[in-house]
Amino acid sequence: MLKYTLTFGPGLMVAAAGIGAGDMVSATMGGAGYGLALLWAVALAAFLKCFLNEGIARWQLATNTTAIEGWCNHLPWWVRTYFGIYLIIWTGFVTAALINACGLGIENITGGAISRSWGAVIHSVVGCIFVMIGGFKDFEKLMKLLITAMFFSVITCAILTFHDPVAFLKGLFVPLVPAGAGASVLSVLGGIGGSITMLAYNYWLREEKMLGPKWVRFIRADITIAYVFTAVFGIAVMSIANQAFHVSGTQITNATAVTKMAQTLSAIIGPVGFWAYSIGFWAAVFASLLGVWQSVPYLFADFYGLIRRYSETVRAEITQVTSTPYRVALLYVTLAPIPFAFMNVPLYIIRAYTIVGSLFIPFLAATLLYLNNVRIPTDTGVSRNSRFTNAVLIFALILFSLVGAREAGLLPI
């Protein structure tokens, strides 16, 4: 009998891992620059990535293999080569962005008593130690706590600063692109909802012992809740930024962005605004850091086992959090970004991460179109893609190809 009474499935942890520096910065910059006009882009990004994550999960429930296994077993050699190189590069960028964002958050909360650079280093090391010794259940508990803190803190600020329902509804349901806002639209589409962190769902399903077709309905509900959460969170951040910056014409373009937002909210709604936003920002980026520190070593260990052509039994062992490949990857995740903590360009690093992350989505959409239409066996009890799902994935492939080309400087939009 299925236990549908779980408070949260792994979907909200994937959402929390994906809601990090990129989401906070892209939504904040979009709201500061164009007010409420780009809310629809937040909702669209969450909608499309919901389908992508559902495809990842459905592949696993049908085949009992991860997306990485599907790529290695059913696609040409250059696909896994591309993914392996991309994984190393992406990890460097995302970890650098996350520790810098955590550094900004703790510097703001402590009034500068802990500097951004050393705060970044501390968060990286603490994340490593927690993942190393805490185990999955403790990780899950802490993630739930951080998710609750980030959500209610940011929603509180959004409610207390909400002032123009007509503009809000227009921005959410009428997809207009203001003059000069093309780059911001693409940044929001690329930044909201995560990228490679969606693959973590495969491994967290295994940790939760969710295997086989009986879980299809649950994971669809779980993922839908996760991306509704993502959309609401991103919309709230953009709404706050509109009131704090766009309405007053204040510029937000430097490393004091977090402090400026908190101080502006304090001026608008009192001390509760400062502390609610400060805690919400820190909880969001630290939850994302923990999610990446815990999940990305799975990807490295799984990929390593596949490249070495280990048996299924051996690969199951090396994707455990106590295995040597997992822990070596965890050390790489922890140590690789530390030099970037001492570069005085945190927002540039975060921006670079969103550029690199946007390049993964077209790859994922294209491979899911093949795997979930052709390689899911017809007798598994798990359906292949519907026509509507295929249409959404094709749209995501085209749209995020444009996003990636624009972010890489190949399009002038």
Side-chain angles (χ1 to χ4, degrees):
M1 182 177 178
L2 298 183
K3 296 181 180 180
Y4 287 101
T5 57
L6 291 172
T7 305
F8 295 123
L12 278 179
M13 291 194 296
V14 172
I19 296 174
D23 297 64
M24 296 294 288
V25 170
S26 61
T28 298
M29 294 300 183
Y34 300 99
L36 302 173
L38 304 184
L39 293 178
W40 63 269
V42 176
L44 178 60
F47 173 78
L48 294 175
K49 291 180 183 180
C50 179
F51 276 82
L52 290 164
N53 214 334
E54 188 272 346
I56 291 169
R58 186 157 40 86
W59 166 260
Q60 175 157 336
L61 295 179
T63 65
N64 198 27
T65 61
T66 64
I68 295 176
E69 289 176 275
W71 299 334
C72 290
N73 293 335
H74 300 294
L75 295 172
W77 66 268
W78 59 265
V79 174
R80 59 179 175 269
T81 301
Y82 167 83
F83 175 75
I85 295 171
Y86 179 85
L87 178 61
I88 294 171
I89 296 171
W90 176 87
T91 300
F93 277 98
V94 71
T95 53
L98 286 171
I99 68 168
N100 272 280
C102 287
L104 288 171
I106 200 67
E107 182 181 51
N108 176 60
I109 288 175
T110 63
I114 299 177
S115 69
R116 175 189 57 81
S117 295
W118 286 108
V121 173
I122 291 169
H123 278 83
S124 186
V125 174
V126 168
C128 175
I129 293 172
F130 184 83
V131 171
M132 187 87 68
I133 67 175
F136 181 75
K137 291 303 179 182
D138 287 340
F139 163 76
E140 188 177 31
K141 290 176 183 177
L142 181 55
M143 287 291 280
K144 290 176 181 179
L145 179 63
L146 292 170
I147 289 167
T148 302
M150 64 190 262
F151 185 77
F152 285 105
S153 296
V154 170
I155 294 302
T156 296
C157 290
I159 291 172
L160 293 176
T161 57
F162 186 76
H163 75 294
D164 192 346
V166 174
F168 181 88
L169 292 174
K170 182 179 179 181
L172 186 58
F173 294 108
V174 181
L176 298 177
V177 180
S184 291
V185 169
L186 297 180
S187 177
V188 169
L189 290 171
I192 298 293
S195 55
I196 207 170
T197 50
M198 289 187 283
L199 298 178
Y201 201 83
N202 285 152
Y203 305 93
W204 290 337
L205 282 178
R206 286 181 173 176
E207 292 282 2
E208 298 282 11
K209 311 300 182 186
M210 296 179 182
L211 305 172
K214 65 183 180 180
W215 288 102
V216 170
R217 290 180 63 188
F218 177 84
I219 66 99
R220 282 177 172 161
D222 183 46
I223 290 170
T224 299
I225 292 170
Y227 282 94
V228 168
F229 173 91
T230 299
V232 170
F233 189 86
I235 287 168
V237 172
M238 188 171 286
S239 178
I240 295 166
N242 164 65
Q243 184 64 15
F245 295 100
H246 183 71
V247 171
S248 63
T250 304
Q251 295 299 310
I252 178 171
T253 58
N254 56 60
T256 62
V258 178
T259 302
K260 280 188 174 182
M261 177 77 94
Q263 290 174 346
T264 303
L265 287 172
S266 179
I268 295 172
I269 57 179
V272 67
F274 178 91
W275 289 109
Y277 177 78
S278 298
I279 292 170
F281 178 91
W282 174 82
V285 294
F286 187 48
S288 187
L289 182 147
L290 285 178
V292 168
W293 266 232
Q294 203 275 347
S295 65
V296 169
Y298 284 132
L299 309 185
F300 278 98
D302 197 9
F303 188 71
Y304 172 75
L306 289 162
I307 294 299
R308 295 297 299 270
R309 300 184 182 277
Y310 289 150
S311 67
E312 184 176 341
T313 301
V314 173
R315 284 190 285 108
E317 292 175 355
I318 66 175
T319 52
Q320 298 297 312
V321 296
T322 54
S323 74
T324 298
Y326 181 96
R327 292 189 166 183
V328 169
L330 177 58
L331 289 175
Y332 169 65
V333 167
T334 302
L335 299 177
I338 286 179
F340 294 96
F342 298 93
M343 298 174 64
N344 196 30
V345 285
L347 295 188
Y348 177 83
I349 292 170
I350 294 169
R351 173 67 173 173
Y353 148 61
T354 64
I355 293 172
V356 174
S358 68
L359 302 176
F360 176 71
I361 303 301
F363 170 82
L364 177 60
T367 56
L368 288 176
L369 280 166
Y370 174 72
L371 292 176
N372 288 3
N373 280 307
V374 178
R375 291 295 183 173
I376 288 182
T378 57
D379 60 350
T380 63
V382 179
S383 63
R384 294 182 172 183
N385 288 353
S386 66
R387 290 181 180 178
F388 182 71
T389 297
N390 281 330
V392 172
L393 291 178
I394 291 170
F395 179 68
L397 171 62
I398 295 170
L399 177 62
F400 284 101
S401 293
L402 294 175
V403 170
R406 166 58 182 80
E407 296 292 345
L410 301 178
L411 288 178
I413 298 175

